[in-house]
Amino acid sequence: DGYRNYECRLSTDVVFGYSGFSAEIEKNLGSSISHFVITGFLRNYNPAALVRRAEEIRAKLNEAGARKVVCVLDENSASDKRWHTGHGLQRENYSVMLEEVMRTPWLGVIFKPKAPGTLRSRLGPVSDLLTAAEKTGRCVILETSGVTHASSVPVLLAGLASDVVIHSHLSAGTAALECVLNGIPTLLIDREGAPMSKLYELPSGKVRFANWAEAADSVMAHFRAKNGISDFGIWDETFLREMDPFGDDKAATRMGSYLQWLIEGFDKGQDRETVLEEAANRYRDLWGDDKVISIGDCH
């Protein structure tokens, strides 16, 4: 979470979070958490396993003439836009870069939809444009058959095959963070309007954009420039360390170890408070006293 969301307020024993910034959000929300465990970014557990598949995707695009490739990430949609982004907002996520592909013979695009099973029906008339772009061989959509909700395709697979990633919704920036932590230039577009987000600290015009028109124009200018635009899509290292204080791709291992310690404690017949405190102390011994903290009224 990049900012406070009241519906995300928590009252629980153990929470795994990326960083001290994540813990501050919970404090500001008034959450009650007896053990907030800072793990680092949890999704970066096996990027090496995706490299070969990403190279295969990129090779197919290159064979069709794509010299530069942009990746577009979306956040699904619902027909009633009072409860989610409407289909119109999502159609723009596809139409802008599809139109660029159709008029630019050296451009390729990879789409990573959040809900691929319903995508083409939700795109409406833009679906025809998508089909036309696919026929050029320079448009790839990472789909999974039979999936109507969240896709099982890793975000990073699309990112690793691309020169620039565009996350179309700054208000939900986790997928963007996953890509940029792996060294991929990554942009954010604030479609919904979330100026209170931590992500607003990122530079406007090079990482953060207000709309698709600005983002697309900048991407194409970057691709056309002989040496690209300096620092385009690059996030400040200090900012990244605020998001992931470890930076070692071992967050999932840390979380798994912590869960294992809890299980072992209960298997020994220890009481609840002893199990919780022993796991916390073991983690502190390994990673530092500041990596397990208490938030709010935990009783």
Side-chain angles (χ1 to χ4, degrees):
D1 295 328
Y3 54 92
R4 292 184 299 167
N5 289 282
Y6 184 77
E7 65 270 25
C8 296
R9 189 177 183 182
L10 298 172
S11 178
T12 192
D13 297 307
V14 179
V15 171
F16 298 101
Y18 299 162
S19 66
F21 169 71
S22 305
E24 284 300 314
I25 286 182
E26 300 301 338
K27 290 178 183 178
N28 293 332
L29 273 174
S31 290
S32 175
I33 303 166
S34 57
H35 300 87
F36 187 97
V37 184
I38 296 173
T39 62
F41 187 71
L42 282 161
R43 292 294 297 273
N44 277 5
Y45 44 83
N46 202 10
L50 301 174
V51 171
R52 179 174 292 183
R53 288 170 62 195
E55 289 174 345
E56 292 171 354
I57 293 169
R58 180 63 183 247
K60 288 182 179 180
L61 291 166
N62 290 158
E63 288 172 7
R67 300 196 311 273
K68 296 292 184 180
V69 177
V70 61
C71 165
V72 178
L73 310 175
D74 79 22
E75 284 291 331
N76 200 2
S77 62
S79 56
D80 190 336
K81 62 184 180 181
R82 292 177 300 171
W83 314 121
H84 202 297
T85 59
H87 297 331
L89 194 75
Q90 292 298 335
R91 287 167 186 168
E92 187 185 32
N93 286 338
Y94 288 79
S95 63
V96 173
M97 293 315 301
L98 286 171
E99 289 167 359
E100 287 286 359
V101 165
M102 296 304 290
R103 61 175 169 256
T104 309
W106 48 261
L107 180 66
V109 63
I110 300 170
F111 291 105
K112 164 58 178 74
K114 192 158 191 174
T118 59
L119 176 67
R120 293 176 190 268
S121 62
R122 290 185 288 109
L123 286 180
V126 177
S127 182
D128 293 337
L129 182 59
L130 174 61
T131 300
E134 286 178 302
K135 289 178 180 177
T136 69
R138 292 180 287 108
C139 172
V140 171
I141 181 162
L142 299 182
E143 297 179 279
T144 45
S145 60
V147 176
T148 58
H149 297 293
S151 170
S152 60
V153 177
V155 166
L156 193 55
L157 175 62
L160 289 170
S162 308
D163 296 295
V164 172
V165 170
I166 303 176
H167 193 313
S168 309
H169 304 272
L170 177 146
S171 61
T174 309
L177 185 59
E178 182 175 350
C179 291
V180 81
L181 284 170
N182 281 275
I184 306 162
T186 303
L187 314 181
L188 294 158
I189 309 178
D190 188 17
R191 312 289 301 292
E192 290 82 9
M196 72 294 290
S197 173
K198 175 77 171 175
L199 297 171
Y200 254 72
E201 295 179 11
L202 296 167
S204 176
K206 288 198 174 181
V207 173
R208 177 173 53 83
F209 295 87
N211 54 61
W212 255 111
E214 292 179 6
D217 287 348
S218 294
V219 167
M220 297 308 292
H222 174 64
F223 285 162
R224 288 188 173 105
K226 183 177 180 181
N227 297 313
I229 297 172
S230 176
D231 294 331
F232 190 73
I234 304 303
W235 298 25
D236 180 77
E237 190 65 27
T238 301
F239 183 93
L240 291 178
R241 292 289 72 80
E242 283 191 75
M243 300 296 99
D244 181 357
F246 294 98
D248 60 3
D249 297 341
K250 295 180 180 178
T253 299
R254 279 186 281 272
M255 182 177 74
S257 297
Y258 202 103
L259 291 169
Q260 182 64 29
W261 299 335
L262 295 176
I263 292 168
E264 289 172 354
F266 284 115
D267 284 347
K268 291 176 184 176
Q270 294 175 324
D271 65 88
R272 176 178 176 279
E273 292 305 319
T274 299
V275 170
L276 290 170
E277 283 306 312
E278 286 193 356
N281 288 333
R282 290 178 72 175
Y283 196 87
R284 290 187 182 107
D285 287 343
L286 282 172
W287 303 110
D289 290 342
D290 62 334
K291 297 303 187 290
V292 183
I293 58 181
S294 176
I295 295 174
D297 182 5
C298 305
H299 301 289

